[in-house]
Amino acid sequence: MFDENQGQIITHRGSPLIVLGGPGTGKSATLVARVKSYIESGIDPNQILVLTFDRHRASELNDQIFSDSEGTTAGSLVKTFPALAFAILRIHRSQTGKKPPRLRTGPEQEYLIRELLAGSYEVNSHNWPETLRTATQTRAFATQLRDLLSRAIECGLSSDELANLATSENFPLWKSAGSFMREYQEVSSLENENAFDPSEMIFQATRVLEQDHRFHQDIRSRHQVILVDEFQESDQSHRRLLDKLFSD
């Protein structure tokens, strides 16, 4: 059973609420009970959005929410941030006559990065430091470069802004990384303009909501309740998307 504080969280209505607690203190169980309380009060499950950090966790929470239900489970009630971004882009592209988005997988990203690194090795077109040129041909370098590009996109940085940080932050390697990021985005767009990696999917969905006011209002109206599981696991891009989704 829930204690008095948890009971107040479950029944809270009318304003944003942040719940603090360490591992094992029952935060997720309280969130599940809170969702159930909304459904029991008559709110359509399809108007409730629960966000969490990975697909396994999303499936787990969804099963817990509907564990006592004999009807349908409104299976998309719990989403990851990339899944939410994908849904937003899919709806917007459908409304504007564009092809639906596709999630570019990690191995696909890494393969393209390694191909581009290999192609630029002899001429060193991105001016990688000589001490790193040989390393650019390794799988480990490609993996770390993919992570860097993802973090840059999450922070809303363009290739030029990443390159400029090399000077302001006194980290020359970022100038080369910014140059590479520009080529990577150009080539990946030419190969498939509808394919996005998870970070770019979130960035593009946020931009669509910022640029298309009518569409933003449409998406906003679809969610009467928005809850986030393990908010501390979210990054800046997640929070920008959430802020835009919540704001009027």
Side-chain angles (χ1 to χ4, degrees):
M1 297 300 292
F2 298 103
D3 61 26
E4 183 179 350
N5 288 334
Q6 289 172 311
Q8 291 176 352
I9 293 168
I10 292 167
T11 58
H12 177 83
R13 299 292 188 269
S15 64
L17 177 68
I18 296 177
V19 178
L20 302 177
T25 56
K27 299 189 305 298
S28 294
T30 304
L31 179 144
V32 168
R34 184 168 164 80
V35 175
K36 288 183 177 182
S37 76
Y38 277 114
I39 296 173
E40 291 167 358
S41 71
I43 293 180
D44 184 346
N46 291 305
Q47 290 190 309
I48 300 173
L49 174 64
V50 180
L51 293 166
T52 191
F53 56 92
D54 67 31
R55 288 181 295 175
H56 174 75
R57 182 65 175 155
S59 177
E60 186 179 65
L61 283 175
N62 205 74
D63 289 344
Q64 291 174 12
I65 290 168
F66 293 103
S67 61
D68 301 326
S69 174
E70 296 180 358
T72 60
T73 62
S76 60
L77 187 156
V78 187
K79 289 184 171 70
T80 63
F81 280 93
L84 171 63
F86 177 86
I88 291 171
L89 282 181
R90 179 177 54 79
I91 295 169
H92 188 261
R93 284 173 165 258
S94 174
Q95 292 180 358
T96 55
K98 296 180 180 179
K99 293 181 179 180
R102 182 179 72 82
L103 182 64
R104 182 182 288 116
T105 65
E108 284 181 299
Q109 293 173 257
E110 195 162 313
Y111 175 79
L112 177 56
I113 287 173
R114 295 194 71 183
E115 288 290 296
L116 294 177
L117 287 171
S120 65
Y121 178 69
E122 291 298 330
V123 296
N124 195 17
S125 56
H126 301 296
N127 295 314
W128 297 107
E130 287 299 323
T131 54
L132 285 178
R133 283 194 65 190
T134 301
T136 64
Q137 302 307 292
T138 65
R139 181 181 297 275
F141 186 90
T143 299
Q144 292 191 25
L145 183 56
R146 176 168 68 88
D147 289 343
L148 173 61
L149 299 186
S150 294
R151 300 295 84 74
I153 293 170
E154 287 171 3
C155 292
L157 295 175
S158 67
S159 57
D160 288 339
E161 288 171 332
L162 178 58
N164 290 338
L165 283 175
T167 300
S168 63
E169 301 299 321
N170 192 28
F171 201 81
L173 182 60
W174 285 348
K175 185 172 184 179
S176 299
S179 173
F180 182 88
M181 180 178 176
R182 186 182 306 111
E183 181 185 19
Y184 172 80
Q185 290 179 324
E186 289 173 353
V187 172
S188 59
S189 178
L190 287 173
E191 285 191 345
N192 191 335
E193 65 177 0
N194 303 306
F196 306 95
D197 62 42
S199 297
E200 193 171 14
M201 189 82 73
I202 294 171
F203 174 78
Q204 293 294 339
T206 304
R207 188 166 71 169
V208 162
L209 293 176
E210 291 172 343
Q211 295 179 346
D212 190 332
H213 178 70
R214 181 176 296 179
F215 178 71
H216 171 233
Q217 293 302 309
D218 174 32
I219 295 298
R220 178 68 185 88
S221 68
R222 298 179 185 220
H223 305 112
Q224 189 172 345
V225 177
I226 303 174
L227 303 172
V228 183
D229 176 56
E230 302 292 357
F231 182 75
Q232 75 277 5
E233 298 289 341
S234 63
D235 58 40
Q236 291 183 47
S237 65
H238 296 158
R239 296 178 188 188
R240 281 196 297 270
L241 176 58
L242 180 64
D243 180 67
K244 195 61 187 175
L245 189 65
F246 178 79
S247 66
D248 294 325

